[in-house]
Amino acid sequence: MSRRQIDITPDLMLRAYRAGLFPMAESRRGDRLYWLDPERRGVIPLDAGFHMPRRLLRTVLSGPYRVTADADFAAAIAGCAAPAPGREDTWINPEIEFLFLSLHRQGHAHSVEVWQEDALVGGLYGVVLGGAFFGESMFSRARDASKVALVHLVARLRLGGFTLLDSQFLTEHLAQFGAHEIPRAEYKRRLAHAVNAVATWQAAPDPAALETAIRSLRAGSQDGA
């Protein structure tokens, strides 16, 4: 992959995402940000290619969690930036947090939060441009919390008419949901179509419509777990 250092502003970030690039810091304490343009890009399907185990469906619909969107963006990104077992350092430094908080205030960055009673136990955040959602990071402090956040994200994106969910890189955690890699050229072809599409971020969708969308994700899964 290629990397090059550059000063980054919220406006420049949006132009970069539109072109297929995204910024990262080398570490939580790193003071430099870089543009990344991977040769292969991770994407999560928003159609029948998304996989959701039956057990996870039960957790999403009747488990111990309450899910919100954009209720506490700052806490969601702070949770993603915090160290965790197996992830003692992150690429989210204070400048990244500042930039995404600015994008959130402008209506371009959104979060999904997972709560257990009044405690934030999981969540994710990303950027929206047209019909594309650029997933940045997720975290979990309780069993399946980040998985619940991802299911809610995909259901809300489907309800809103989104066509692309970019995960940047492919991980084992995401692969279980059907995430896969595509070549840079194919990603940018899909990106060009998605950023010019009309879609609506669903911060507070109709509960019945949301449940139907979540159940439809399970209906398209092929596993029996």
Side-chain angles (χ1 to χ4, degrees):
M1 70 184 65
S2 61
R3 299 191 304 177
R4 55 191 177 91
Q5 183 182 348
I6 192 169
D7 292 334
I8 301 179
T9 65
D11 179 65
L12 186 57
M13 284 181 70
L14 294 178
R15 287 189 280 143
Y17 278 103
R18 187 176 290 272
L21 289 78
F22 58 90
M24 294 183 73
E26 288 185 326
S27 68
R28 176 64 175 163
R29 293 185 174 88
D31 59 359
R32 293 182 178 181
L33 304 185
Y34 300 90
W35 291 125
L36 277 75
D37 187 10
E39 293 183 4
R40 297 186 65 79
R41 195 69 161 247
V43 294
I44 301 173
L46 293 174
D47 53 19
F50 186 84
H51 305 315
M52 179 170 56
R54 184 180 298 112
R55 180 190 63 79
L56 182 57
L57 175 63
R58 292 194 295 268
T59 300
V60 172
L61 294 180
S62 58
Y65 303 127
R66 173 174 59 90
V67 181
T68 58
D70 292 340
D72 198 336
F73 184 91
I77 192 171
C80 291
R87 190 190 69 178
E88 283 66 35
D89 197 6
T90 73
W91 55 268
I92 305 170
N93 69 357
E95 185 176 2
I96 287 282
E97 289 190 74
F98 171 80
L99 288 165
F100 276 96
L101 285 167
S102 297
L103 288 175
H104 176 63
R105 287 192 293 270
Q106 295 172 12
H108 295 296
H110 300 283
S111 59
V112 175
E113 304 90 13
V114 179
W115 308 84
Q116 192 164 26
E117 296 182 349
D118 293 328
L120 182 65
V121 295
L124 56 81
Y125 75 96
V127 172
V128 164
L129 279 175
F133 187 97
F134 305 88
E136 288 295 317
S137 187
M138 61 175 59
F139 76 99
S140 183
R141 296 172 182 153
R143 184 182 181 185
D144 291 336
S146 63
K147 296 178 182 180
V148 170
L150 179 60
V151 168
H152 266 264
L153 173 66
V154 172
R156 289 162 189 263
L157 294 181
R158 289 183 61 160
L159 281 176
F162 285 77
T163 61
L164 176 67
L165 174 49
D166 170 18
S167 67
Q168 298 178 348
F169 301 109
L170 180 64
T171 66
E172 291 184 9
H173 178 71
L174 295 177
Q176 65 186 303
F177 294 98
H180 56 279
E181 290 183 328
I182 58 176
R184 179 191 291 157
E186 171 64 13
Y187 170 76
K188 293 193 175 180
R189 184 191 68 79
R190 296 190 192 181
L191 175 66
H193 172 77
V195 295
N196 291 309
V198 177
T200 304
W201 170 249
Q202 301 286 313
D206 174 74
L210 180 60
E211 179 174 337
T212 298
I214 290 171
R215 290 185 181 279
S216 73
L217 296 178
R218 170 59 203 168
S221 300
Q222 300 301 314
D223 67 281

